[in-house]
Amino acid sequence: MSRAAAGHIPGGAERDRVRALWRGLGLPGLIDVHTHFMPDNVLRKVWAYFDAVRGADGEPYWPITYRVGEGERLELLRGFGVRRFTSLLYPHRPGMAGWLNGWAAEFAARTPDCLHSATFYPEPGAADRTAEAIGAGARIFKAHLQVGGYDPRDPLLAGVWGALADSGTPVVVHCGSGPEPGPFTGPEPFAEVLREHPRLTAVVAHAGAPEYAAFLDLAERYEGVHLDTTMVFTAFTERWAPFPAGELPRLAELRDRVLLGTDFPNIPYPYLEQLEALAGLGLGDDWLRAVLYGNAARLFGAPVP
């Protein structure tokens, strides 16, 4: 039995426990800024990548808990009470960003509770395409420096960062070195982007794991820098990138700039585990309310309770 299946709560029971958690906080639901919906052929390749990762015992290390069709994945999120979510996509070669953005725009048009998502790649015309996506209603962008393998300081991206900063459009950036380092991951390359574009609204994916302290530094230095909780504090991530207990007071102080993210559906454990891990930090109900709903509601204009 896979690690995920071994601890997975049956659908209805998990749904009820997720809903009980946010209802107990007096929230109208959840806003998850780090979820993935993709064209089927792309998602199959993502799942195949994770399927190939094996632990020392030969068992799947990263089994996909929610390996179901698109419609069922939407029903699961809505059943959990997720009021807004994203379809974060990311290219790994030139020419991909345009058609991924086209798919995401169509998905958002038929899925009104999904924030219209977009992406980019360092290639000629990237700045123009970013401006076009913003003009077409894109609410959030994704940059994945590890998978994309590109330098965020590439001159071809200067206009992209500028357009995002000028418009105030948030961008989720996977710039930490986990789960595997890339040539341009780690805090310094993206820190240089922030020095050039200090008004950028950036959401550091996975709270910058494993370089948590350095990304907390950036969040303290730049008021537009946020952190998402994706996979952080779960037992799975604590094995390879434990969050330092001594940094929890800083995370508490940044209450207004920490956002719920989960990586649904590509997670090797139940959705509930992320929420219970955050609740278990003991940072208080006000912090938890802000992280699970309030901060993203302000950022994206959803009703704030």
Side-chain angles (χ1 to χ4, degrees), residues 290-303:
V291 171
L292 297 185
Y293 188 90
N295 295 338
R298 286 192 297 275
L299 204 56
F300 295 105

Side-chain angles (χ1 to χ4, degrees), residues 17-83:
R17 288 177 62 178
V18 169
R19 296 178 74 89
L21 190 151
W22 55 257
R23 281 175 171 159
L25 293 165
L27 292 174
L30 305 168
I31 300 178
D32 190 338
V33 302
H34 195 137
T35 63
H36 297 287
F37 286 87
M38 304 175 175
D40 285 344
N41 63 322
V42 176
L43 190 59
R44 283 196 299 271
K45 290 178 181 178
V46 171
W47 287 349
Y49 171 82
F50 288 121
D51 287 344
V53 179
R54 299 280 161 166
D57 57 3
E59 289 291 312
Y61 183 72
W62 198 305
I64 305 298
T65 302
Y66 301 100
R67 192 193 299 262
V68 293
E70 181 183 282
E72 190 171 349
R73 279 179 272 129
L74 288 169
E75 289 180 10
L76 281 164
L77 280 182
R78 291 164 179 161
F80 292 151
V82 180
R83 306 304 183 199

Side-chain angles (χ1 to χ4, degrees), residues 258-284:
V258 182
L259 307 172
L260 172 65
T262 63
D263 243 347
F264 176 93
N266 305 329
I267 47 177
Y269 46 76
Y271 193 89
L272 176 66
E273 186 170 327
Q274 178 75 76
L275 305 180
E276 291 186 333
L278 295 172
L281 295 177
L283 298 182

Side-chain angles (χ1 to χ4, degrees), residues 134 158-171 196-201:
I134 294 169
V160 170
W161 301 123
L164 294 170
D166 290 345
S167 65
T169 307
V171 53
E196 292 296 318
H197 304 276
R199 295 185 296 111
L200 186 67
T201 302

Side-chain angles (χ1 to χ4, degrees), residues 33-229:
V33 302
H34 195 137
T35 63
H36 297 287
F37 286 87
M38 304 175 175
D40 285 344
N41 63 322
V42 176
L43 190 59
R44 283 196 299 271
K45 290 178 181 178
V46 171
W47 287 349
Y49 171 82
F50 288 121
D51 287 344
V53 179
R54 299 280 161 166
D57 57 3
E59 289 291 312
Y61 183 72
W62 198 305
I64 305 298
T65 302
Y66 301 100
R67 192 193 299 262
V68 293
E70 181 183 282
E72 190 171 349
R73 279 179 272 129
L74 288 169
E75 289 180 10
L76 281 164
L77 280 182
R78 291 164 179 161
F80 292 151
V82 180
R83 306 304 183 199
R84 296 287 186 278
F85 52 91
T86 58
S87 59
L88 300 185
L89 302 122
Y90 40 87
H92 60 271
R93 62 175 184 267
M96 285 187 69
W99 70 267
L100 287 175
N101 286 348
W103 184 91
E106 185 275 333
F107 181 77
R110 60 182 168 87
T111 315
D113 41 353
C114 179
L115 293 167
H116 182 170
S117 309
T119 189
F120 51 84
Y121 192 82
E123 56 189 329
D128 290 341
R129 281 190 288 275
T130 297
E132 290 170 4
I134 294 169
R139 306 285 307 282
I140 188 167
F141 280 71
K142 175 66 183 286
H144 203 311
L145 305 186
Q146 179 199 32
V147 171
Y150 58 81
D151 190 334
R153 302 160 295 189
D154 191 308
L156 289 167
L157 293 179
V160 170
W161 301 123
L164 294 170
D166 290 345
S167 65
T169 307
V171 53
V172 176
V173 186
H174 186 128
C175 43
S177 298
E180 294 180 352
F184 304 107
T185 58
E188 188 49 38
F190 193 63
E192 291 190 32
V193 171
L194 291 168
R195 284 194 283 272
E196 292 296 318
H197 304 276
R199 295 185 296 111
L200 186 67
T201 302
V203 180
V204 176
H206 307 277
E211 295 104 345
Y212 299 113
F215 285 104
L216 283 165
D217 291 343
L218 291 179
E220 291 170 345
R221 189 174 309 146
Y222 298 99
E223 64 180 20
V225 173
H226 300 64
L227 307 173
D228 84 26
T229 66

Side-chain angles (χ1 to χ4, degrees), residues 210-213 216 232-233 238 241-251:
E211 295 104 345
Y212 299 113
L216 283 165
V232 186
F233 309 110
E238 285 290 294
F243 191 93
E247 300 292 357
L248 284 175
R250 298 174 72 193
L251 195 70

